[in-house]
């Protein structure tokens, strides 16, 4: 008895000492982490906050710091038919691109993850490749190819080019979720007599909802404010908002531009909040 | 429904996972696939269920060749090693899924689901989601989900491994009752030899993708055909024939060259000795297991296990020189093959 007591005492003291040392290290680590986190959040949000601040300035040109406070630029914005039309065009393009991308991405991802065929790895690489290309390349390529087959710049051309541009995001998100998904779920459904189609809709698709919504949201936002692709593929007669905004900045330094940007920031923010509430933030990861 | 597995081979790329596996299972029979991890048990089950297509060979269910039939047309129930419960459905919805597929009406579904839940004692968990259940509870849901459809063939891949000993026995008894009552032909996979001995009509012992022996538990225990089977089921001393021949009562019976002799520990005897015996050793370890005493005897550079009844035997100390012999020469079996590191 007494023997074990004497041997155990220095041992506990040692553990306690090491415990204190590691606590200090833990605390320093946590502090550094907190500082980095705060810096990152500032770095990401300050540009947006500056734009929003400028949009309320009373001066007739963009400048920082803003002076006074007015809603005038917002009122101007809504008074311009050109901008309202462009916003509607952008919404249409965004909706169509999202639907088209998802309609292609879901089956493609399923085939790439679950399929057993020759060249699967190659197909996988190919489908994700446009993500590596700058949007401008895709825009120019579409324009030239369109000219070759006598297909003119139009909303349809923007939608098709943007789908090529956005598809990899959507495919990747659905693939990421599918890879985590236990194939035994589908096998269990089959063994209970369900057809492959029924299994897909009742079992697989239900597990993909989060990834589909998240992928759809990213495509929708990207398609709404993409400039590089739209610049080359949009018809001059019906310009999407991004192109309109680009022209506006080139010829005008009115704070209206900041007002428009602020509204876009707000819209993206609302979409993300709604998404996070609907499917949970952790589901938005890929 | 009788199951016929004929000469199945399965390759995964270069890996030859199943080698000429054949099983002929009678209607209503319960058999167990037993074997070391990675020997191909799951793969064989998956071939029968239709999740894998064998590279060659046939699967025949109730006289119909189903080798090319997709799993959803085979009517085979499957309980997965990792449960595979649908996470977006409650326990009750998981159970009702197969019934919905079969277009059972609402009241039938409700009744059957309740019955199946009661069977696995999970009635109060009907509205919970699988993620909120313990491993053992999830496993019971998986079993109930397969049973509720009353399949003609039921395949269970280690369906009891997450249950504690008491629950396991209770579930095995329940399962056996239903299986007999409904006449379900059942194939179980397990690592647990006691489970195999208690629940099966016949056992198929697999090693490295081959079926070594397919026979009743008694036959497997009493007359194993390979050293691997002998070693895997129960404890066994596997000795080369020329060494076994030195046991006085066995003598010439064990002299078939190039074979191994299986001697169960309860069939070996020890007695203290002073003189030189043909097969002598020393007690290396002794352990009392209830009514018997188990020895580890070092003889001829190997360790032999001996189990003797304490009633007619004075316990021997460690280090005692002993002479070895067998009790019943008839109970020693000659087998082919060898076992590395067998006790
Ligand atoms: N889809 C697959 N692709 C490649 N190899 C596989 C595949 N499935 C199984 N194998 C291999 O086949 C062999 C047998 O696997 P199997 O799952 O049938 O073993 P098991 O007997 O069920 O083992 P355990 O008792 O550990 O579950 C293993 O070596 C495994 O690595
Ligand atoms: Mg297995």
């Amino acid at each position: 008895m007494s023997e074990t007591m004497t041997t155990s005492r220095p041992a506990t003291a040692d553990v306690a000492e090491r415990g204190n040392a590691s606590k200090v290290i833990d605390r320093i680590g946590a502090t550094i982490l907190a500082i980095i986190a705060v810096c990152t959040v500032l770095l990401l949000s300050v540009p947006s906050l500056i734009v929003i601040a400028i949009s309320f300035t009373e001066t007739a040109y963009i400048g920082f710091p803003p002076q006074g406070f007015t809603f005038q630029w917002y009122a101007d914005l809504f008074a311009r038919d050109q901008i309202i039309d462009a916003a509607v065009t952008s919404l249409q393009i965004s909706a169509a691109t999202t639907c088209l991308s998802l309609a292609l991405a879901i089956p493609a991802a399923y085939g790439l993850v679950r399929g057993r065929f020759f060249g699967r790895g190659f197909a996988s690489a190919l489908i994700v490749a446009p993500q590596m290309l700058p949007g401008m390349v895709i825009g120019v390529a579409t324009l030239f190819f369109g000219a070759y087959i006598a297909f003119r710049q139009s909303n349809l051309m923007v939608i098709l080019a943007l789908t090529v541009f956005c598809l990899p995001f959507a495919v990747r998100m659905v693939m990421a979720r599918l890879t985590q998904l236990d194939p035994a779920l589908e096998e269990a459904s089959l063994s209970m007599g369900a057809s492959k189609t029924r299994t897909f809709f009742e079992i697989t698709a239900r597990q993909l909802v989060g990834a589909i919504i998240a992928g759809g949201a990213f495509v929708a936002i990207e398609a709404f404010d993409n400039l590089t692709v739209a610049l080359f593929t949009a018809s001059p007669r019906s310009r999407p908002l991004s192109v309109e905004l680009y022209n506006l900045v080139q010829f005008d330094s009115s704070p209206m531009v900041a007002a428009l940007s602020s509204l876009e920031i707000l819209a993206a923010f609302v979409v993300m909040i709604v998404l996070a509430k609907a499917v949970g933030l952790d589901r938005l990861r890929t | 429904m009788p199951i016929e597995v004929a000469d199945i081979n399965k390759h995964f790329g270069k890996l030859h996972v199943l080698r000429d596996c054949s099983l002929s299972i009678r209607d209503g029979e319960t058999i167990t696939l037993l074997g070391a991890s990675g020997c191909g048990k799951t793969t064989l089950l998956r071939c029968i269920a239709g999740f894998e297509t064998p590279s060659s060979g046939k699967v025949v269910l109730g006289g119909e060749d189903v080798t090319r039939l997709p799993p959803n047309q085979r009517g085979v129930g499957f309980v997965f090693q990792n449960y595979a419960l649908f996470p977006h459905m409650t326990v009750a919805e998981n159970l009702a899924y197969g019934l919905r597929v079969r277009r059972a009406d609402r009241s039938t579904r409700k009744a059957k689901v309740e019955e199946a839940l009661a069977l696995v004692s999970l009635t109060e968990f009907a509205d919970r989601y699988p993620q909120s259940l313990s491993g053992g509870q999830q496993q019971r849901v998986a079993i109930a989900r397969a049973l509720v459809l009353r399949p003609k063939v039921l395949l269970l891949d280690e369906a009891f491994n997450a249950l504690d000993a008491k629950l396991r026995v209770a579930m095995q008894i329940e399962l056996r009752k239903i299986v007999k009552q409904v006449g379900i032909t059942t194939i179980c996979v397990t690592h647990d030899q006691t489970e195999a001995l208690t629940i099966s009509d016949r056992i198929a012992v697999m090693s490295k993708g081959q079926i070594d022996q397919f026979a009743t538990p008694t036959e497997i225990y009493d007359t194993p055909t390979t050293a691997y089977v002998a070693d895997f089921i129960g404890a066994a001393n596997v000795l080369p024939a020329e060494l076994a021949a030195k046991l006085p009562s066995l003598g010439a019976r064990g002299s078939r060259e190039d074979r191994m002799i299986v001697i169960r520990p309860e069939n070996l005897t020890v007695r203290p000795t002073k003189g030189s015996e043909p097969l002598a050793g020393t007690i290396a370890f002794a352990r009392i297991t209830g009514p018997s005493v188990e020895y580890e005897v070092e003889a001829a550079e190997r360790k032999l296990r001996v189990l003797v009844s304490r009633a007619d035997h004075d316990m021997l100390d460690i280090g005692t020189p002993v002479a070895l012999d067998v009790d019943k020469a008839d109970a020693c079996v000659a087998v082919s093959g060898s076992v590395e590191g067998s006790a």
Side-chain angles (χ1 to χ4, degrees), chain A residues 157-285:
Chain A
M157 189 187 250
V158 182
I159 291 165
L160 293 178
L162 277 177
T163 301
V164 173
F165 187 59
C166 295
L167 197 57
F169 292 99
V171 174
R172 287 265 289 257
M173 282 197 173
V174 179
M175 275 179 80
R177 179 74 188 103
L178 256 180
T179 334
Q180 295 170 351
L181 198 66
D182 184 0
L185 290 184
E186 289 155 42
E187 290 170 351
S189 167
L190 290 176
S191 78
M192 286 184 255
S195 65
K196 279 197 160 176
T197 319
R198 182 171 196 149
T199 300
F200 181 79
F201 284 106
E202 283 215 40
I203 309 298
T204 321
R206 290 298 301 271
Q207 303 303 313
L208 299 179
V209 168
I212 292 172
I213 292 181
F218 281 114
V219 172
I221 292 174
E222 176 62 39
F224 184 82
D225 74 6
N226 173 282
L227 173 68
T228 48
V229 174
L231 205 52
F232 295 95
T233 47
S235 135
R237 273 174 291 112
S238 97
R239 288 198 292 227
L241 197 55
S242 55
V243 178
E244 198 61 47
L245 184 67
Y246 177 69
N247 288 336
L248 216 59
V249 198
Q250 275 188 320
F251 306 112
D252 193 349
S253 62
S254 147
M256 205 165 65
V257 175
L260 184 54
S261 306
S262 301
L263 287 179
E264 279 194 34
I265 292 166
L266 185 71
F269 195 66
V270 168
V271 169
M272 291 315 290
I273 298 271
V274 168
L275 266 187
K277 280 271 182 277
V279 292
L281 253 190
D282 52 337
R283 289 272 197 91
L284 297 184
R285 281 177 310 156

Side-chain angles (χ1 to χ4, degrees), chain A residues 95-110:
Chain A
T97 307
T98 308
C99 293
L100 190 57
S101 294
L102 287 179
L104 295 172
I106 298 168
Y110 191 81

Side-chain angles (χ1 to χ4, degrees), chain B residues 32-240:
Chain B
T32 297
L33 294 179
L34 199 60
S37 183
C39 70
K41 305 180 294 290
T42 299
T43 309
L44 184 54
L45 274 200
R46 291 174 59 80
C47 286
I48 298 171
F51 302 141
E52 304 284 357
T53 313
S55 316
S56 69
K58 277 201 303 191
V59 178
V60 181
L61 297 181
E64 188 194 355
D65 184 347
V66 297
T67 319
R68 303 276 147 203
L69 217 56
N72 53 345
Q73 289 169 29
R74 294 192 185 193
V76 171
F78 202 104
V79 178
F80 290 83
Q81 208 165 355
N82 54 359
Y83 326 138
L85 299 176
F86 305 134
H88 59 289
M89 296 185 188
T90 63
V91 168
E93 286 164 357
N94 262 280
L95 264 62
Y97 180 75
L99 297 168
R100 273 203 289 126
V101 170
R102 281 169 176 62
R103 301 220 170 81
D105 59 55
R106 189 177 287 267
S107 56
T108 320
R109 285 201 312 252
K110 196 162 179 288
K112 288 195 171 180
V113 167
E114 272 169 15
E115 186 200 355
L117 279 178
L119 195 75
V120 293
S121 335
L122 286 175
T123 309
E124 65 268 45
F125 295 91
D127 297 323
R128 296 264 289 268
Y129 282 89
Q131 306 88 287
S132 70
L133 300 183
S134 76
Q137 290 166 340
Q138 292 184 29
Q139 194 151 47
R140 278 140 71 197
V141 176
I143 295 171
R145 187 176 67 176
L147 277 178
V148 77
L149 299 177
R150 296 286 186 267
K152 290 274 179 290
V153 171
L154 180 61
L155 310 177
L156 299 136
D157 197 352
E158 310 200 15
F160 304 106
N161 61 357
L163 306 179
D164 63 54
K166 210 172 139 195
L167 200 56
R168 179 185 292 223
V169 174
M171 289 286 304
Q172 284 165 358
I173 292 171
E174 281 306 321
L175 183 74
R176 198 149 165 82
K177 268 195 226 156
I178 301 177
V179 159
K180 287 292 161 209
Q181 186 191 327
V182 185
I184 305 174
T185 313
T186 314
I187 307 182
C188 308
V189 163
T190 180
H191 284 292
D192 180 353
Q193 44 158 304
T194 10
E195 185 178 310
L197 292 169
T198 45
I199 66 172
S200 12
D201 297 318
R202 283 193 286 167
I203 296 175
V205 183
M206 290 185 73
S207 73
K208 298 184 187 131
Q210 268 173 326
I211 295 173
D212 272 23
Q213 190 172 7
F214 181 37
T216 63
T218 345
E219 282 171 319
I220 296 260
Y221 191 80
D222 291 342
T223 53
T225 53
T226 68
Y228 179 84
V229 173
D231 192 53
F232 204 82
I233 307 283
N237 299 295
V238 183
L239 303 178

